[in-house]
Amino acid sequence: MTRLLVHGIYDQKTLETVKSKVPCDFAFDLRGRSPNLVPFHQLQVLLKSIQSEEVYLTFENDRPETILSFISLLKNEPFKFTLVFRDRQSVDFYQRLGLPYIWMFHPEGDWTGILNTEFCRGVLLPVKWQHHYQNNSTLWNLTQYRNLNVFVHADSFEEASRLDLGPHVNLSLDLTNEIETGYRKVDQEKLKKMNIWSKLHEHSSRQ
């Protein structure tokens, strides 16, 4: 069955809308400059509505002590936290943190080293970089050898709607201002009507 990982929710109504459409996991954005940044107190509120055992936390070019501080503050939450990195740090950076993570592929990153660390659990493959990885046998052999979770990543609902969700394709999806009526104001009705939900249901029914 296709797994869905939704990134960028920052309010309770949007969380409940997405939960009502399809089963999925959530990645909360803790990047300081992100328009989808979740303040820590709001993250704690949102976590109370999560049923999943696993929650993802997104970072980008943060210092190790900042990341470890967040994890320490969440130590009493009943979740297994997996980090999402949208950066191109050194292999040593990810290794020294000693925390499970998935990495967003970038062709200029040291992807062989990053995906080979003992703490790497998966990779997000952005549609925009498809020509760099779709025929890369070294990458695919590595993900299979290490049994990594592989997600095709869409930057928007529009991009996701154009994807061919074949067997065993996991989808990673960013929520963007395409569903907003203003800054950080989600149009819940528009979100409910996005065709990716029916597409995912149809795909699941065929499996």
Side-chain angles (χ1 to χ4, degrees):
M1 183 175 179
T2 297
R3 287 181 62 190
L4 175 63
L5 177 58
V6 177
H7 302 255
I9 289 177
Y10 47 77
D11 67 277
Q12 188 71 35
K13 284 186 178 180
T14 304
L15 180 67
E16 295 303 328
T17 296
V18 173
K19 284 174 58 181
S20 73
K21 303 306 291 185
V22 292
C24 60
D25 293 315
F26 298 95
F28 295 103
D29 204 332
L30 298 176
R31 299 175 294 166
R33 296 182 179 180
S34 171
N36 289 30
L37 172 68
V38 181
F40 186 75
H41 70 277
Q42 182 63 18
L43 174 62
Q44 291 179 301
V45 172
L46 293 174
L47 289 176
K48 296 184 186 302
S49 300
I50 302 294
Q51 311 299 323
S52 170
E53 295 181 359
E54 188 165 15
V55 172
Y56 297 80
L57 305 174
T58 303
F59 294 93
E60 183 175 10
N61 295 320
D62 290 281
R63 300 192 308 174
E65 50 267 37
T66 300
I67 298 169
L68 293 172
S69 176
F70 270 109
I71 297 300
S72 177
L73 289 170
L74 294 168
K75 64 184 179 182
N76 293 324
E77 296 288 348
F79 300 104
K80 178 175 69 172
F81 290 104
T82 299
L83 308 184
V84 179
F85 288 112
R86 297 192 177 206
D87 49 30
R88 288 172 276 161
Q89 308 249 31
S90 69
V91 173
D92 186 57
F93 171 86
Y94 304 109
Q95 182 68 29
R96 282 188 293 110
L97 271 176
L99 298 169
Y101 69 89
I102 60 177
W103 182 68
M104 179 168 278
F105 176 87
H106 192 288
E108 295 180 4
D110 182 7
W111 55 267
T112 53
I114 293 169
L115 299 183
N116 256 317
T117 74
E118 63 180 293
F119 300 104
C120 185
R121 300 293 182 264
V123 60
L124 307 178
L125 298 175
V127 174
K128 63 185 176 183
W129 300 123
Q130 190 174 29
H131 59 288
H132 286 279
Y133 60 73
Q134 61 183 352
N135 296 316
N136 189 327
S137 60
T138 302
L139 173 65
W140 294 113
N141 288 338
L142 175 57
T143 59
Q144 185 174 18
Y145 174 73
R146 298 221 52 237
N147 196 29
L148 299 177
N149 292 315
V150 178
F151 292 82
V152 174
H153 179 77
D155 287 334
S156 65
F157 279 98
E158 181 182 359
E159 191 170 68
S161 69
R162 298 195 299 265
L163 291 174
D164 179 16
L165 298 177
H168 312 299
V169 174
N170 297 319
L171 177 63
S172 168
L173 172 64
D174 274 341
L175 300 192
T176 69
N177 59 10
E178 69 184 319
I179 57 168
E180 293 179 339
T181 58
Y183 181 66
R184 291 174 71 91
K185 293 181 180 179
V186 175
D187 183 335
Q188 301 297 329
E189 291 306 310
K190 184 175 183 179
L191 176 59
K192 290 175 184 177
K193 294 175 182 177
M194 286 293 175
N195 65 7
I196 189 62
W197 311 128
S198 58
K199 188 173 181 178
L200 286 167
H201 281 298
E202 290 170 8
H203 178 66
S204 296
S205 66
R206 294 197 303 265
Q207 293 184 354

